[in-house]
Amino acid sequence: MFFTLSSYAQFTATKDGLKTLDGKNFYVVEIPGKTANDLYKLTNAFIISNFKNPNAVSNKLENEMINLHGTYLQAFICKKALGVNISANVDMNLIIYFKDGKVRFDTPSINSMYYNNEYQVRFSGGVNIMGEGDINMFKKNGKINKKDCVNNFNNFINSFISQICDYLKGNNSTNEDW
């Protein structure tokens, strides 16, 4: 569901965390013809239709912003072990602001990433005991340590935001003929 190429979002993992490609701490998507109220309502509809308990995963300031927070289970493949894909869970916050014709996504705040309920996935800086367990996506010098893990993480973040943008633009594939 999340592993498609992104057509909207521009976030990328670095050794210091998530950044935008242009160095800002937010990304703006223009959605002409929709008011802030329309975009707010559509985002709420997206949350309601995609989360089991929508009230538990979002805090709202009517027509202005939504803080979407939660844990995304098996969000991205972080490694392979004996030919089996191992997926990481991501606990994050994504704050979304609304203006007439525009939606702003703040850089997602990653609270934790982990797999097997035990091992951490970090951007960089962690110490692995005996070479097992925790994963550092980047080396301390900023070079990529786990290329597939970084690519899969970037795809997860950007695909998730693209799904929201597609929904706001009316590119959702719901069948209204029922």
Side-chain angles (χ1 to χ4, degrees):
M1 180 171 167
F2 293 119
F3 299 106
T4 60
L5 287 177
S6 168
S7 59
Y8 299 109
Q10 299 291 319
F11 295 106
T12 188
T14 71
K15 77 175 189 75
D16 298 318
L18 275 172
K19 305 283 182 197
T20 60
L21 296 177
D22 61 4
K24 295 179 182 174
N25 61 355
F26 61 90
Y27 180 70
V28 175
V29 176
E30 293 196 25
I31 304 177
K34 304 239 169 140
T35 66
N37 184 38
D38 294 338
L39 295 169
Y40 174 84
K41 285 181 178 180
L42 283 167
T43 303
N44 261 333
F46 175 85
I47 293 168
I48 289 167
S49 66
N50 285 282
F51 291 89
K52 290 180 183 177
N53 192 350
N55 292 330
V57 299
S58 64
N59 296 341
K60 305 164 188 165
L61 185 56
E62 185 95 19
N63 297 327
E64 291 183 34
M65 63 89 63
I66 295 175
N67 179 0
L68 184 59
H69 51 89
T71 300
Y72 302 84
L73 302 176
Q74 299 182 358
F76 68 97
I77 297 168
C78 60
K79 71 178 205 169
K80 287 187 179 194
L82 302 172
V84 176
N85 291 333
I86 307 295
S87 295
N89 302 323
V90 177
D91 182 326
M92 72 173 186
N93 287 56
L94 176 62
I95 299 176
I96 308 166
Y97 294 93
F98 309 95
K99 286 188 177 181
D100 290 347
K102 294 181 183 180
V103 177
R104 171 182 154 165
F105 296 92
D106 280 359
T107 303
S109 173
I110 306 300
N111 304 315
S112 67
M113 295 183 284
Y114 57 93
Y115 68 98
N116 291 348
N117 292 323
E118 181 178 359
Y119 302 110
Q120 292 186 40
V121 179
R122 299 183 192 95
F123 291 104
S124 70
V127 177
N128 293 346
I129 299 171
M130 298 172 44
E132 299 284 335
D134 294 351
I135 296 171
N136 293 313
M137 289 193 245
F138 293 86
K139 298 176 184 177
K140 288 182 183 180
N141 65 7
K143 292 187 179 187
I144 292 177
N145 186 40
K146 302 287 184 187
K147 184 179 179 179
D148 288 342
C149 185
V150 171
N151 289 339
N152 293 337
F153 174 79
N154 287 340
N155 283 339
F156 158 69
I157 290 293
N158 291 317
S159 294
F160 180 65
I161 293 170
S162 289
Q163 285 181 14
I164 297 170
C165 292
D166 284 343
Y167 194 92
L168 297 177
K169 288 187 172 191
N171 299 335
N172 47 353
S173 59
T174 59
N175 185 356
E176 295 298 327
D177 183 23
W178 53 279

